[in-house]
Amino acid sequence: QKEVEQNSGPLSVPEGAIASLNCTYSDRVSQSFFWYRQYSGKSPELIMSIYSNGDKEDGRFTAQLNKASQYVSLLIRDSQPSDSATYLCAVNGVSNFGNEKLTFGTGTRLTIIP
Amino acid sequence: DTGVSQDPRHKITKRGQNVTFRCDPISEHNRLYWYRQTLGQGPEFLTYFQNEAQLEKSRLLSDRFSAERPKGSFSTLEIQRTEQGDSAMYLCASSLGLAVLNTGELFFGEGSRLTVL
């Protein structure tokens, strides 16, 4: 089982609609969860972080966390063509050597259709 | 520019040659990470420094790979006797780590793309 799993997509969403991206993780002791956006040919950039169960909203973005189900999601409201990118779920945890480690999923490629 | 910088941005080499990548992190960041990313995959952790100490290496990192951060500032990643399977984007990231499970953001450089012919 992969540590962080995402549906690779592609996910196509009409402009103005809600895009829903999902992620599951395997390490129950993980405490910090992140969504990174990566445009084609560019490096990842952090767009959302969430640490406790429930919802966290930032502008058009809402991150949702359910630690019992080991599930993280990202909702993008009023999707814009500029939201077309790969969205990477990342989970913070502790490696076998006791070091903090950020593990990424494979990413979901999102396309917003004008 | 006060972001993470990587050099070179692109490197094409023949199989068997050695290559070295350099990363200059954000100046006040004490943590530096190297990740590798191939097409359609997320970044895979390679190694991690806190100041000048290399605290962890992934099992993905064969003996042909070596990384240093001699003065706790810039870092280099060297790949010896390159193979075609080494072709990837090598990403460097830095963060200001304060404690275990610190929630600091990773700031990524633009990456060094390696093509091994």
Side-chain angles (χ1 to χ4, degrees):
Chain A
Q1 181 188 8
K2 289 184 179 179
E3 295 180 64
V4 181
E5 294 208 48
Q6 297 181 254
N7 187 327
S8 60
L11 175 65
S12 296
V13 173
E15 184 175 356
I18 296 175
S20 178
L21 304 162
N22 305 315
C23 171
T24 58
Y25 61 94
S26 61
D27 188 351
R28 285 194 169 274
V29 302
S30 297
Q31 296 184 14
S32 310
F33 308 88
F34 306 89
W35 285 98
Y36 281 76
R37 179 176 62 199
Q38 186 173 27
Y39 291 114
S40 181
K42 299 294 186 181
S43 58
E45 58 176 336
L46 180 69
I47 55 171
M48 286 289 286
S49 57
I50 186 166
Y51 313 119
S52 55
N53 282 329
D55 295 359
K56 178 182 177 183
E57 187 174 318
D58 183 1
R60 296 187 296 110
F61 298 96
T62 298
Q64 299 175 316
L65 174 61
N66 183 327
K67 289 185 180 180
S69 301
Q70 295 174 239
Y71 177 88
V72 194
S73 66
L74 179 70
L75 301 178
I76 306 175
R77 291 182 301 281
D78 187 24
S79 298
Q80 303 296 310
S82 60
D83 295 326
S84 296
T86 295
Y87 289 81
L88 299 162
C89 174
V91 176
N92 214 353
V94 179
S95 71
N96 292 335
F97 296 96
N99 296 310
E100 181 182 354
K101 187 175 79 166
L102 193 65
T103 302
F104 288 85
T106 56
T108 298
R109 186 156 57 92
L110 173 66
T111 300
I112 306 301
I113 303 168
Chain B
D1 184 8
T2 57
V4 178
S5 63
Q6 293 188 244
D7 183 71
R9 294 288 310 278
H10 303 274
K11 179 70 175 179
I12 300 173
T13 190
K14 292 182 179 179
R15 188 177 55 188
Q17 298 296 304
N18 299 344
V19 296
T20 299
F21 301 117
R22 176 182 170 121
C23 172
D24 287 89
I26 294 171
S27 59
E28 62 267 27
H29 285 183
N30 61 338
R31 293 185 174 186
L32 187 147
Y33 303 80
W34 285 98
Y35 282 83
R36 179 172 65 190
Q37 187 174 26
T38 53
L39 195 63
Q41 300 297 313
E44 295 177 297
F45 170 79
L46 293 179
T47 191
Y48 153 58
F49 291 86
Q50 181 153 317
N51 300 312
E52 67 275 7
Q54 186 175 20
L55 295 187
E56 189 157 344
K57 289 175 60 172
S58 166
R59 285 190 295 271
L60 294 174
L61 223 58
S62 76
D63 291 344
R64 297 184 296 105
F65 288 72
S66 63
E68 295 182 339
R69 195 183 182 196
K71 297 181 179 179
S73 56
F74 74 92
S75 175
T76 58
L77 176 68
E78 181 183 17
I79 309 174
Q80 296 182 325
R81 305 181 303 281
T82 52
E83 302 173 356
Q84 288 184 327
D86 297 332
S87 296
M89 176 74 84
Y90 290 85
L91 294 166
C92 175
S94 70
S95 74
L96 185 60
L98 300 176
V100 173
L101 297 182
N102 170 256
T103 57
E105 173 182 355
L106 284 189
F107 293 82
F108 282 89
E110 289 298 322
S112 292
R113 181 172 295 284
L114 173 64
T115 302
V116 181
L117 302 177

